[in-house]
Amino acid sequence: MASGSNQTLLSPAELAFLHYNLSLTPPIRPDLRHSSQFRPLIAETDLLPGTNGSARICFADGTEAIVGVKAEVEKSVSGRTEIERSEGNDVSSRVEDETMGGIDEEEPNSRLSKSKIVDNGWIEMTIEIPGFRDDDSLPVFLAGMLNEALVATGELVAKLWINRLWHWKLYIDILLLSPPLSYPLPLLSLTTHLALLSTRLPALKSELEEDPLFNDDWDAAVPLYPHSETKNQKAGPKSYSIRPPVTLLVIAVGSNILFDPTREELAVSDTVLAISLTSLPSAPEKSVNNDRNISRLRLLSIRTIDPPSRLTTAGVPDAINTATGGTASNAQTTPGVDVGSGKEGVWHPPQGGTKRGLVGKIVQMCLERGGVGEEVLAGLDNVDVG
């Protein structure tokens, strides 16, 4: 759990007014968006010439991020994962056979030559934010959260496997070009998603356990996430059977659930959740048409983020505020007593945790058929990816 963002300088009266508007039905947001509407953005891909994939996204408020993906061939550590996967074989003998060269690499029945050795260390992510050091809590927490979603299913790491001795290593460099005007998690996640969709790897020419040899023609490069063509799809957005995850930032104010919050909305939020999800592999059209209510999304992780509203100062009712002609009471001088708690129109920081029912409702809104998650992925499909 990490803090939501830099503290917003709002008075208790302004916080109470904003919290009241966001608690209405329907909520009144400062920028007049509805509860599940995202901020307008501009997106483009393949803008960095020296990378395997890149993307840029700029929100309407001027916050901008660029992500570059670079792939390098690296030698694998032999045998570690496969020894753990052995079924009914003597572990010590497998270690001895491998270290002494006792396993035939070309033997078709060799379990070690057929299976894939994977390691989450094949993906390295760094985030640079203006005004923050690389080892500050915000960049470290964001990098850990995004990397956790990428390796959750194991699909991306499996795509990096070349053979038993070699693999690709991905370096994902994320740069926030402007100081964060709100919590930058959604911006960085969407930009990373597009950068991975645009990533291409050189086509492999070698076979089996040979040292990797690649095609020099970049036009023959293989997409890391190939799109799936349908019979009736001649133009329009591309569809992907397997795609990178996205992480959505969701807040709750009262009983209302708001997506893609601004800094001001975070300052009065009761709950802040980061929901990571991805799409399931495409199923046959007959099975999909039989039940149109089945979600095509998969939940990867849920992270709680400490809302900055907990760090704000509680308001004081006018009746006991000497600055407004009121009379000070004994409760005002008693340590640990929140005189504004429970009084309408008086701001008080949220206390306690998040109810399970609220978490379940947020997850349902993200994963349900035709919900917010599918809407976000459909919008990203409209971006032209080379």
Side-chain angles (χ1 to χ4, degrees), residues 118-125 143-158 160 170 172 196 225 244-245 298 300:
V118 296
D119 187 355
N120 292 340
W122 296 355
I123 302 175
E124 183 175 321
M125 179 179 295
M145 186 184 304
L146 295 177
N147 191 73
E148 177 188 47
L150 286 177
V151 302
T153 61
E155 294 171 351
L156 176 58
V157 180
L160 304 179
L170 286 187
I172 304 176
L196 289 173
Y225 287 91
R298 174 183 178 183
L300 299 179

Side-chain angles (χ1 to χ4, degrees), residues 46-55 67-71 173 198 200 218:
D46 297 327
L47 67 153
L48 299 179
T51 60
N52 293 78
S54 59
V67 175
V69 180
K70 189 69 176 178
D173 297 320
S198 67
R200 302 172 67 88
W218 183 249

Side-chain angles (χ1 to χ4, degrees), residues 74-244:
E74 188 176 73
K75 196 165 186 177
S76 303
V77 178
S78 301
R80 179 181 64 253
T81 306
E82 295 310 317
I83 294 171
E84 297 175 357
R85 294 180 181 178
S86 60
E87 301 176 359
N89 293 341
D90 182 42
V91 175
S92 59
S93 64
R94 289 177 62 83
V95 176
E96 181 180 359
D97 288 343
E98 185 180 0
T99 54
M100 299 180 61
I103 295 180
D104 187 2
E105 296 182 355
E106 297 183 359
E107 175 62 35
N109 295 326
S110 174
R111 185 173 304 174
L112 197 59
S113 62
K114 282 187 174 182
S115 53
K116 293 183 178 181
I117 304 174
V118 296
D119 187 355
N120 292 340
W122 296 355
I123 302 175
E124 183 175 321
M125 179 179 295
T126 58
I127 297 180
E128 295 186 11
I129 301 177
F132 291 84
R133 292 177 27 160
D134 293 342
D135 56 353
D136 284 343
S137 60
L138 180 61
V140 172
F141 180 75
L142 291 174
M145 186 184 304
L146 295 177
N147 191 73
E148 177 188 47
L150 286 177
V151 302
T153 61
E155 294 171 351
L156 176 58
V157 180
K159 291 175 178 291
L160 304 179
W161 184 85
I162 299 176
N163 55 40
R164 191 173 62 88
L165 301 177
W166 301 92
H167 67 268
W168 289 103
K169 182 166 184 177
L170 286 187
Y171 296 90
I172 304 176
D173 297 320
I174 304 175
L175 175 60
L176 190 64
L177 297 181
S178 57
L181 301 179
S182 61
Y183 199 61
L185 177 62
L187 172 63
L188 303 185
S189 175
L190 297 180
T191 312
T192 304
H193 179 93
L194 291 179
L196 289 173
L197 284 183
S198 67
T199 299
R200 302 172 67 88
L201 301 177
L204 186 65
K205 296 173 61 177
S206 56
E207 299 179 358
L208 299 177
E209 303 300 329
E210 299 177 355
D211 289 345
L213 180 63
F214 301 98
N215 193 335
D216 294 334
D217 186 5
W218 183 249
D219 293 334
V222 180
L224 186 61
Y225 287 91
H227 64 274
S228 57
E229 297 285 352
T230 59
K231 296 181 180 179
N232 299 328
Q233 182 181 2
K234 297 182 179 179
K238 299 177 180 179
S239 60
Y240 300 86
S241 58
I242 300 177
R243 58 192 308 157

